[in-house]
Amino acid sequence: MDKRPCDSGGDAEVRKGPWTMEEDMILINYIATHGDGVWNTLARSAGLKRTGKSCRLRWLNYLRPDVRRGNITPEEQVLIMELHAMWGNRWSKIAKHLPGRTDNEIKNYWRTRIQKHMNKQGDHQTLSGGQSSEADHNMDQASTSQAMPGPHDADHQHRDAADQIYSPPSYPENLDTFSAPFPTESSNDNVWSMDDLWSLQLLNGDGD
DNA sequence: AATGGGACCAACCGCGGGAAC
DNA sequence: AGTTCCCGCGGTTGGTCCCAT
């Protein structure tokens, strides 16, 4: 299968790296006016020197108005672990059950926090039990859900829609350990939020 | 006060599937 | 029926920030 992404023809001069505020504005304005989709065309039409892929990623992971940024709540954390135990690294699938969260964010969260933590625990188990240490992926699927009969007493008061879709009987006891080291404020808002961006966009004249 | 290490986040890359031509 | 293009997904890398020494 030779799938050669022909990007934007031969124009070359494709920008990479971090998006500037100006590029964000262009993309937001363009999508607000014309809608998204057909990303390669969009990128060209909007005058962005980015690949369609890059535009799509930027939009979906960051600029979309409904994207929810900020700390993962303990509830979300639990949900992520449960869903990951069921589906493994199907991040997009997991993300669908976490409204406003992107697969990229969940993936990052998993890798940087949960998996690391589990590795530590796995390490301990390896030291004592002698399990395979390179079971990186396997560990994901197995260790999360198995043999952890802990009637965890967290406040499941506002579990969102995902809980209705999937309501597991129990989840790992070590969630206690997981939730402890993480800050649990709902949102930091220290990033210049989409509100800012969208209001800027409006100030800018909403397109042409 | 400076340096090093670790953690986290954003973005890019490659691959595979599906749709359109 | 075959080829090309676009979309979406998962994995990986690079950059930045924060904390500890």
Side-chain angles (χ1 to χ4, degrees):
Chain A
M1 290 181 185
D2 284 326
K3 309 242 172 112
R4 297 227 164 273
C6 51
D7 286 325
S8 36
D11 291 37
E13 202 193 340
V14 178
R15 272 183 60 85
K16 289 183 183 177
W19 279 65
T20 64
M21 192 172 172
E22 191 180 1
E23 288 176 313
D24 283 346
M25 296 300 307
I26 293 171
L27 184 58
I28 289 173
N29 280 327
Y30 190 89
I31 291 177
T33 309
H34 303 281
D36 62 0
V38 200
W39 293 103
N40 282 326
T41 309
L42 185 153
R44 260 176 275 138
S45 303
L48 288 164
K49 293 179 170 41
R50 297 275 182 174
T51 64
K53 228 175 179 179
S54 180
C55 292
R56 174 183 162 274
L57 199 68
R58 183 63 176 172
W59 174 253
L60 292 179
N61 285 339
Y62 200 87
L63 298 176
R64 235 177 5 162
D66 60 323
V67 76
R68 215 170 117 212
R69 305 179 57 73
N71 294 334
I72 302 277
T73 66
E75 288 79 17
E76 287 174 319
Q77 178 184 307
V78 170
L79 195 55
I80 289 170
M81 293 180 65
E82 292 169 348
L83 295 176
H84 187 273
M86 290 201 315
W87 297 325
N89 296 357
R90 306 290 174 215
W91 304 117
S92 61
K93 198 171 178 179
I94 293 171
K96 282 174 185 149
H97 293 271
L98 290 153
R101 299 294 185 188
T102 68
D103 56 349
N104 204 33
E105 188 176 9
I106 293 171
K107 180 170 58 181
N108 279 333
Y109 182 76
W110 178 269
R111 295 183 71 88
T112 58
R113 307 200 192 183
I114 299 178
Q115 190 171 63
K116 193 159 291 182
H117 193 88
M118 288 171 78
N119 278 337
K120 280 181 189 170
Q121 293 195 337
D123 203 35
H124 289 150
Q125 286 181 358
T126 308
L127 288 173
S128 55
Q131 305 269 342
S132 68
S133 55
E134 59 179 346
D136 205 31
H137 288 75
N138 298 337
M139 186 254 326
D140 295 344
Q141 321 224 352
S143 65
T144 322
S145 59
Q146 69 171 225
M148 291 288 199
H152 194 60
D153 193 45
D155 52 337
H156 297 151
Q157 293 173 15
H158 48 280
R159 285 196 149 197
D160 40 27
D163 193 38
Q164 298 167 13
I165 300 165
Y166 167 65
S167 44
S170 66
Y171 38 87
E173 176 175 281
N174 55 0
L175 281 172
D176 267 320
T177 343
F178 279 123
S179 45
F182 309 141
T184 56
E185 309 101 281
S186 47
S187 65
N188 253 353
D189 288 350
N190 54 354
V191 291
W192 68 295
S193 67
M194 283 304 101
D195 285 345
D196 298 333
L197 206 55
W198 281 92
S199 50
L200 272 172
Q201 181 236 154
L202 292 173
L203 285 173
N204 210 23
D206 188 41
D208 328 292

